[in-house]
Amino acid sequence: MKGKLLLLMGAALLAGCVQAPMAPSINANGAIKWANGISEEMHISASGGTLTFAAPQNVLSTGGGITIFSRIDSARNGNCEHYYSEQAMKTRMQICDSGEVTLIVEGRVINVGALARYVY
C-alpha cells in the first residue's frame, strides 16, 4: 500500500512538472474577425507584403505555431490583393480595400471576415 501511494505521489509530481509548449508570439498590429466568431491577431509587414499569424490551433494553422501569408504581386484584382500561405500553397486569402477578407482553400471559400488595423 505504501509503495502504491509513493508511486501515485511521484506520478503527480512529475505531471506537475510537465509544461505545455509555449505558443509563439508576434507584435500584432491587426486582426481578422471571421464570420464564425473567431478573431485572429496578426502582424502586417510595413510593406503589406506578408501577414504573420501566431496562435495555437487556429483557422489558418492546424498544428499551432506561425503561419505566414505572402502577397502575390501579379494577382491584384481591382481593389483586392491576394496572398498565399507559405505552408499550404493551396490556401489563399483575398483582402479588399473595404476590409473584406476571404479565406480560400483548394478553390473553395472556407470563411469570410473583416480586417482591422490597430492604430497606436
Side-chain angles (χ1 to χ4, degrees), residues 40 53 55-67 85 87-88 91 105:
E40 291 190 283
F53 296 84
Q57 299 294 336
N58 62 30
V59 173
L60 305 174
S61 150
T62 57
I66 292 185
T67 301
S85 169
Q87 289 84 356
T91 301
V105 177

Side-chain angles (χ1 to χ4, degrees), residues 3-116:
K4 288 182 182 178
L5 183 60
L6 285 173
L7 181 64
L8 184 59
M9 286 177 46
L13 180 63
L14 286 175
C17 294
V18 175
Q19 295 181 0
M22 284 184 52
S25 63
I26 58 171
N27 184 17
N29 60 0
I32 296 175
K33 171 91 178 191
W34 296 106
N36 63 4
I38 295 173
S39 290
E40 291 190 283
E41 289 192 320
M42 66 181 166
H43 176 78
I44 305 167
S45 68
S47 67
T50 59
L51 311 173
T52 304
F53 296 84
Q57 299 294 336
N58 62 30
V59 173
L60 305 174
S61 150
T62 57
I66 292 185
T67 301
I68 299 172
F69 280 79
S70 294
R71 182 173 50 213
I72 306 169
D73 290 326
S74 63
R76 185 163 178 81
N77 182 8
N79 293 330
C80 300
E81 293 184 339
H82 298 266
Y83 294 80
Y84 71 94
S85 169
E86 293 191 7
Q87 289 84 356
M89 295 294 286
K90 293 186 179 185
T91 301
R92 306 285 172 116
M93 191 178 303
Q94 175 180 296
I95 300 178
C96 297
D97 289 345
S98 65
E100 179 182 344
V101 180
T102 305
L103 180 64
I104 304 163
V105 177
E106 294 187 10
R108 293 185 7 227
V109 173
I110 300 299
N111 212 345
V112 294
L115 174 70

